[in-house]
Amino acid sequence: MSVSPIKVFITGAANGLAEVREGLADHPEVELVGTAADPAKAGSKLAESGAQVILHGTTATDHVPTSEIEAIRGVTAAPIVLVTSASANALLSEALSAGIFDVVLLPQLTDGIVFTIKKANSLAAGRPGGAAKTSSSTEGRVITFFSPKGGAGKTVLACNLAATIARHQSRKTLLLDLDLQFGDAAIMMGIEPEKTIYDLVMARRELDSDALAGYVTAHSSGVHILPAPLRPEDAELVTEERLGHLFAVAKESYDVIVVDTPPFFHGPVLSTLDRTDQLVLVASLDVPSVKNVKLTMQTLDLLHYPKERRHLLLNRSGSKVGLKPQEVERALEMKVEFEVPVEREVAVSVNRGVPIAISSPRSGVGKALQDVADKLVPQRQAGKSESGGGKKFRRRG
Ligand SMILES: Nc1ncnc2c1ncn2[C@@H]1O[C@H](COP(=O)(O)OP(=O)(O)OP(=O)(O)O)[C@@H](O)[C@H]1O
Ligand SMILES: [Mg+2]
């Protein structure tokens, strides 16, 4: 893949920063465009370097080096990654509010640092505009489930919402599993796919609606599923560029695309956010979950992801665990828009591979997802063709 290297400028000082510089100097995905120990003196050199990401070394342990950050901010808007070898708890807690993109604790493998640099660059590159685009009424809308905590219920909810929309709203629906390493949407839907997104990205043929139809597996609810790669090591082949193309084609073929994600932000998730019309943040009634969703909100703010497209869903609500929905709302400064109750049959449905929204649409979970579908998928517009793209949806049940 021929992508131009990311221009990185290194400022400040930290134990191990020289090794970082050496590692990056030889790295094909990075171009070092300058260094300056004192950012206040870097001035025009930094401004004219065209740097896309700033790595700033610091020895401060108890606070963000505000004056140094301001000196950098005075000449460039490029994202700043702090680099330190000290244990830096205070730094970590202050960094986000100080507008720092990330904090890297040394020692660190060069590849790890390059990943952070790529993440910072991909966030900064056109995100304000990128994230702000909305689907026009004629293209499929993208609903993405995200939670920074594993086990929150993203996959259960994504599978059931997709099944509800396909079955009860008769919409052409694609379930896209972007938990690329450990995706289990196919298992939860009880299908054994012949092809996955891995086959799609490896194909030589240009992707169009017809080609896409050859990679999805139809579920009895009517949902089409594009599963995650079968082997975790194949995940990295699904690049942001290919995902962008996949979304463009899928939006032409489907009314709704429901996306399941892993519990962390990485390139494909960021790229998905850019194309997401409705982002459902899954929280639960426990303090770590609330804390992590709060951090996610701050990241979304940094990405300029519009607030009106964020929806807070409380999963396993009604569990008597001491935390109340109102307390979650207060902590997150956001209304709980959807509540999905805890139900024993969910585990049974997961193990049987039959979405509960299909086997028991009148269950609490089934009704809650019907509510999500009604609110997030607008009423069908009169006159809009349902057989667009010549695609036929086979229903078997
Ligand atoms: N509302 C619910 N009631 C009862 N059980 C639930 C509910 N939601 C989720 N679960 C259970 O929690 C388990 C984990 O859910 P799920 O796999 O959807 O989480 P996840 O957020 O996708 O996790 P990961 O980040 O690891 O992919 C499921 O197997 C299911 O049994
Ligand atoms: Mg999952």
Side-chain angles (χ1 to χ4, degrees):
M1 202 177 54
S2 64
V3 176
S4 21
I6 300 168
K7 296 189 165 105
V8 175
F9 199 108
I10 300 180
T11 56
N15 274 340
L17 192 61
E19 287 75 18
V20 170
R21 190 166 49 228
E22 274 169 35
L24 293 180
D26 294 334
H27 203 284
E29 293 181 271
V30 167
E31 180 189 346
L32 282 184
V33 291
T35 56
D38 183 355
K41 293 189 185 146
S44 56
K45 189 171 144 198
L46 175 54
E48 287 156 20
S49 65
Q52 292 164 288
V53 176
I54 315 297
L55 284 191
H56 181 67
T58 180
T59 47
T61 52
D62 53 348
H63 61 91
V64 167
T66 323
S67 59
E68 295 173 16
I69 299 302
E70 280 171 6
I72 298 170
R73 275 282 161 264
V75 291
T76 173
I80 301 170
V81 175
L82 272 188
V83 182
T84 178
S85 64
S87 109
N89 284 343
L91 212 71
L92 285 168
S93 60
E94 265 186 36
L96 270 180
S97 51
I100 303 294
F101 175 76
D102 206 347
V103 179
V104 169
L105 301 178
L106 298 180
Q108 183 80 237
L109 292 176
T110 301
D111 279 341
I113 297 173
V114 170
F115 179 75
T116 304
I117 291 170
K118 285 164 74 177
K119 200 166 57 158
N121 181 53
S122 101
L123 284 178
R127 291 294 140 166
K133 276 184 233 126
T134 326
S135 293
S136 79
S137 59
T138 52
E139 41 176 42
R141 51 181 41 231
V142 178
I143 301 174
T144 301
F145 282 85
F146 184 78
S147 167
K149 251 193 121 215
K154 298 176 290 296
T155 306
V156 165
L157 295 165
C159 290
N160 279 284
L161 181 71
T164 300
I165 295 169
R167 168 64 69 89
H168 302 297
Q169 299 189 329
S170 303
R171 299 301 187 107
K172 291 187 293 185
T173 309
L174 175 69
L175 174 61
L176 183 54
D177 190 350
L178 290 186
D179 185 354
L180 295 168
Q181 278 193 301
F182 301 109
D184 38 25
I187 292 184
M188 277 198 200
M189 297 294 276
I191 58 157
E192 280 185 34
E194 275 178 25
K195 292 193 174 147
T196 73
I197 192 168
Y198 165 78
D199 301 288
L200 182 145
V201 298
M202 295 308 285
R204 282 161 181 245
R205 186 182 157 186
E206 180 73 12
L207 186 66
D208 57 21
S209 286
D210 284 342
L212 175 58
Y215 293 102
V216 299
T217 303
H219 182 260
S220 56
S221 60
V223 178
H224 284 188
I225 302 166
L226 187 53
L230 298 176
R231 290 188 306 253
E233 63 269 29
D234 291 337
E236 64 188 38
L237 298 166
V238 184
T239 60
E240 292 175 50
E241 193 185 349
R242 296 204 181 230
L243 258 187
H245 194 187
L246 167 59
F247 271 110
V249 173
K251 281 176 162 213
E252 283 173 16
S253 304
Y254 292 93
D255 297 322
V256 183
I257 301 155
V258 178
V259 187
D260 187 20
T261 60
F264 48 83
F265 283 117
H266 67 339
V269 170
L270 297 172
S271 163
T272 301
L273 277 182
D274 271 353
R275 291 155 178 101
T276 294
D277 300 291
Q278 314 290 344
L279 177 65
V280 183
L281 292 156
V282 184
S284 42
L285 288 170
D286 63 282
V287 173
S289 158
V290 173
K291 177 210 126 211
N292 291 330
V293 173
K294 178 102 188 159
L295 286 173
T296 299
M297 296 289 187
Q298 290 171 348
T299 305
L300 292 170
D301 289 343
L302 283 176
L303 294 172
H304 302 280
Y305 190 82
K307 286 205 164 54
E308 65 274 16
R309 290 203 212 147
R310 305 177 197 175
H311 306 273
L312 184 58
L313 182 153
L314 204 51
N315 190 25
R316 302 186 180 88
S317 72
S319 340
K320 301 255 178 301
V321 286
L323 206 58
K324 298 196 177 72
Q326 293 78 350
E327 291 171 295
V328 175
E329 290 184 335
R330 257 200 306 281
L332 297 178
E333 296 170 46
M334 191 176 175
K335 279 252 159 265
V336 171
E337 201 169 330
F338 305 113
E339 290 193 36
V340 179
V342 63
E343 270 176 348
R344 222 178 53 82
E345 302 95 275
V346 173
V348 178
S349 82
V350 165
N351 290 336
R352 279 176 51 212
V354 180
I356 186 169
I358 297 301
S359 57
S360 309
R362 304 310 300 159
S363 61
V365 172
K367 284 198 267 191
L369 283 157
Q370 186 64 58
D371 180 41
V372 178
D374 289 342
K375 294 211 172 103
L376 298 190
V377 181
Q379 295 298 311
R380 200 191 304 272
Q381 289 164 13
K384 186 181 173 189
S385 161
E386 287 304 311
S387 57
K391 200 158 300 304
K392 294 276 184 297
F393 274 59
R394 278 213 339 259
R395 285 175 182 264
R396 287 188 261 131

